[in-house]
């Protein structure tokens, strides 16, 4: 029987990969999209453009995590078997500028969606996009499911609320609800203001003679960076288990922003030190210095393992940005990687 999934945040990096992943598994996929003054479906357009993809099984609906009645109507209308809550104001630096908005979407938005599920009586399995940012000022190295949270930003504080409200609805209402505690994951579809994509995009522009400088903040921060298409597979696996649970998804490797610069620039034959300048605008009022995840539980229970490692990830993102720039300059439409 065809299963039905609802993805909030379907226009984002993870939402677009998850939509493809579920369509390939024969799901009927519904996505929540926000009204915007410009087109915001750029990461999904190739699904509609490709005659070999099942585009008649992809359905987009206007809505917003701030609009409870629209969420309830949508849940009642499509009665999904699985709900993936990926929508968020996902930028940590921006959350310091817009803390109240971030709380409204990333914290209250989750309980609005859970309430829409509870009130309509539809009983989907529920995935919450929790984050390694919740570990913040880390209390243990590496971080695992039992490591205490210490959020260091309005974004992380909001995600901690969503983590616990998801646990609470599981325990209070017997909802099959899971938290995926995902460490940073990147791809050619990563938003251009996150550090990896900002760097790989700059490498392509510098190589083409279109940019002279790259302005960055803290180069010493260390992150556990994985490859986004592999991480959406882990989300799906969580909802296929006999029992709901919470899982760390990571690579168990950590690298600094400086190391990412070295690999990305050298892949294009460039010396990063000639181009990078520090700009205090990109510093954060409170920083997360070191993240590294222990994904043993995901490996043991979900059979999940990351395959794309740090240097390969940086190189594939550089290659994709060089190709993207070339197609733009040649005036060709591009199908995203
Ligand atoms: P992303 O590319 O920034 O996508 C966020 C999505 O949320 C977009 O589709 C965005 O719509 C949508 N959205 C934002 N505000 C909304 C609102 N008020 N109502 C409805 N939709 C809204 O993020 P991502 O990297 O794919 O991450 C997916 C989720 O995982 C997020 O919740 C993020 O916080 C979390 N997470 C990400 C990582 C990571 O490393 N990528 C790690 C851990 C957790 P527009 O396209 O219209 O802006
Ligand atoms: O920063 C440093 C910055 O913005 C990584 C989101 O997906 O992952 C992401 O959050 C590091 C930080 O990601 C710049 O200070 C230096 O230490 O790429 P980022 P993030 O903050 O780790 C987590 C898991 C999420 O859940 C989030 O949704 O890089 N950094 N210079 C910079 N960062 C940015 N953005 N821009 C700079 O110029």
């Amino acid at each position: 029987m065809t299963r039905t999934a609802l993805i909030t945040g379907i226009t984002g990096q993870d939402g677009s990969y998850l939509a493809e992943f579920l369509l390939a598994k024969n799901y009927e996929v519904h996505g929540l999209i926000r009204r915007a003054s410009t087109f915001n479906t750029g990461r999904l357009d190739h699904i509609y453009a490709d005659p070999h993809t099942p585009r008649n099984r992809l359905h987009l609906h206007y809505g917003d995590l701030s609009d409870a009645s629209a969420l309830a109507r949508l849940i009642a209308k499509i009665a999904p078997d699985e709900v993936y809550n990926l929508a968020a104001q996902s930028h940590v630096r921006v959350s310091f500028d817009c803390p109240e908005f971030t709380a409204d979407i990333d914290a209250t938005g989750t309980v609005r969606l859970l309430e829409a599920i509870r009130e309509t009586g539809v009983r989907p399995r529920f995935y919450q996009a929790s984050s390694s940012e919740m570990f913040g000022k880390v209390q243990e190295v590496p971080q695992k499911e039992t490591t205490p949270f210490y959020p260091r930003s309005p974004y992380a504080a909001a995600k901690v609320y969503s983590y616990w409200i998801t646990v609470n609805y599981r325990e209070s209402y017997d909802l099959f609800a899971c938290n995926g505690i995902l460490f940073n994951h990147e791809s050619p579809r990563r938003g251009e203001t996150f550090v990896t994509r900002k760097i790989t995009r700059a490498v392509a522009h510098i190589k083409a003679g279109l940019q002279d400088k790259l302005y960055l903040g803290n180069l010493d921060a260390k992150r556990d960076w994985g490859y986004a298409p592999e991480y959406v597979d882990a989300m799906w696996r969580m909802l296929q288990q006999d029992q709901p649970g919470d899982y760390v998804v990571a690579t168990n490797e950590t690298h600094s922003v400086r190391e990412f610069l070295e690999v990305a620039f050298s892949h294009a034959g460039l010396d990063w030190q000639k181009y990078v300048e520090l700009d205090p605008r990109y510093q954060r009022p409170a920083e997360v210095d070191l993240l590294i995840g222990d994904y043993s539980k995901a490996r043991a229970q979900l059979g999940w393992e990351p395959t794309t490692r740090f240097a390969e990830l940086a190189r594939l993102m550089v290659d994709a940005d060089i190709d993207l720039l070339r197609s733009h300059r040649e005036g060709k439409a591009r199908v995203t990687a």
Side-chain angles (χ1 to χ4, degrees), residues 11-14 34 64-65 86 88 90 155 159 182 185 190:
T11 57
Q13 170 188 255
D14 292 6
R34 300 194 284 178
D64 198 293
L65 280 193
L86 309 186
S90 71
Y155 168 80
K159 285 286 185 181
L182 271 52
H185 47 280
R190 184 57 142 152

Side-chain angles (χ1 to χ4, degrees), residues 90 131-132 155 184 190 193 195 198 217-218 221 223 284 287:
S90 71
S131 166
S132 54
Y155 168 80
N184 298 54
R190 184 57 142 152
T193 60
V195 79
K198 185 171 168 181
N218 178 13
R223 291 289 183 276
R284 295 162 185 197
E287 178 62 284

Side-chain angles (χ1 to χ4, degrees), residues 308-324:
T308 308
R309 295 293 175 164
F310 174 73
E312 186 187 351
L313 173 66
R315 289 195 287 260
L316 77 80
M317 289 178 69
V318 168
D319 289 340
D321 270 319
I322 289 174
D323 285 350
L324 177 62

